[in-house]
Amino acid sequence: MRRMGRPSTITQAIADEICERISDGEPLRAICRDDHMPAWRTVYDWISADTDFSARIARARELGFDAIAEEALSIADTPVIGQTSVSKATGLEVTEADMLGHRRLQVETRLKLLAKWAPKKYGDKQEIDLNVTDALAERLARAKLRNG
C-alpha cells in the first residue's frame, strides 16, 4: 500500500490541529510523528514565514505549559499501584508497591522543563538585594573623588 507524502503546505485544518494539540501540552515533535502531519522542521518553517501562525503557536505553548503543570499535579496526586499476583513460592497474594520513583521522575522532568521554557512563570524566583550599605556608599564616593 502506497502512503501519501507528508503535507508541506499549511492548511487551516492542520494549523488548527497543531495549535490545539500543543495547547493540550503535547510536544510538537510528537504531533509531527503522525502520518497526516508535516515534519517538525516544516512546521518551524511555517512559524518563521507566517506571523499569524507564529503568534498562534506562541499562545498555544503558553496554554500547553499550564496543561503540563496540571498534568504534573495529577501525576503527583495519583498513586500508581502495580499488579496484584499470587506468589508461586508462598501462594499468597502480592501487590507491587506504588511506582513512587517513576512518578517523582515524571513530575520533576515536567517542572524542570517548564522552568526552562517559561522561567518567569514556572522558574524559581530569585531575588537580588541591591541595597547599598552606607559604608560601601562612602567608599565609592571617596574613590570617585580620588579618581577625579
Side-chain angles (χ1 to χ4, degrees):
M1 181 172 153
R2 191 170 164 225
R3 285 176 44 186
M4 292 178 51
R6 291 179 169 263
S8 60
T9 305
I10 191 169
T11 66
Q12 189 65 41
I14 289 175
D16 290 348
E17 183 178 347
I18 289 170
C19 290
E20 183 178 333
R21 290 172 68 178
I22 287 174
S23 69
D24 285 338
E26 189 174 353
L28 179 61
R29 284 185 181 230
I31 295 167
C32 292
R33 286 186 193 111
D34 290 355
D35 288 340
H36 71 285
M37 285 291 164
W40 67 269
R41 287 185 179 134
T42 302
V43 176
Y44 276 104
D45 289 343
W46 295 347
I47 291 169
S48 295
D50 185 336
T51 56
D52 290 335
F53 183 58
S54 178
R56 288 185 65 203
I57 290 288
R59 178 69 181 132
R61 283 189 172 139
E62 289 177 23
L63 294 171
F65 295 156
D66 290 343
I68 292 168
E70 291 172 12
E71 180 184 34
L73 182 60
S74 177
I75 291 167
D77 288 345
T78 309
V80 179
I81 305 299
Q83 295 178 336
T84 299
S85 58
V86 176
S87 169
K88 291 181 182 178
T90 63
L92 299 174
E93 203 172 81
V94 178
T95 301
E96 294 176 21
D98 180 17
M99 298 173 60
L100 184 60
H102 179 67
R103 288 190 305 122
R104 182 177 291 128
L105 176 64
Q106 288 178 306
V107 169
E108 287 176 3
T109 300
R110 283 161 177 76
L111 294 179
K112 286 179 181 179
L113 286 172
L114 287 172
K116 295 288 186 188
W117 291 335
K120 288 182 181 178
K121 188 169 186 176
Y122 293 105
D124 292 332
K125 190 171 192 164
Q126 297 180 2
E127 293 184 26
I128 300 173
D129 185 6
L130 296 177
N131 292 329
V132 177
T133 64
D134 290 335
L136 177 58
E138 288 175 22
R139 286 190 302 199
L140 290 171
R142 282 194 303 263
K144 185 175 181 183
L145 289 173
R146 277 186 287 211
N147 295 332

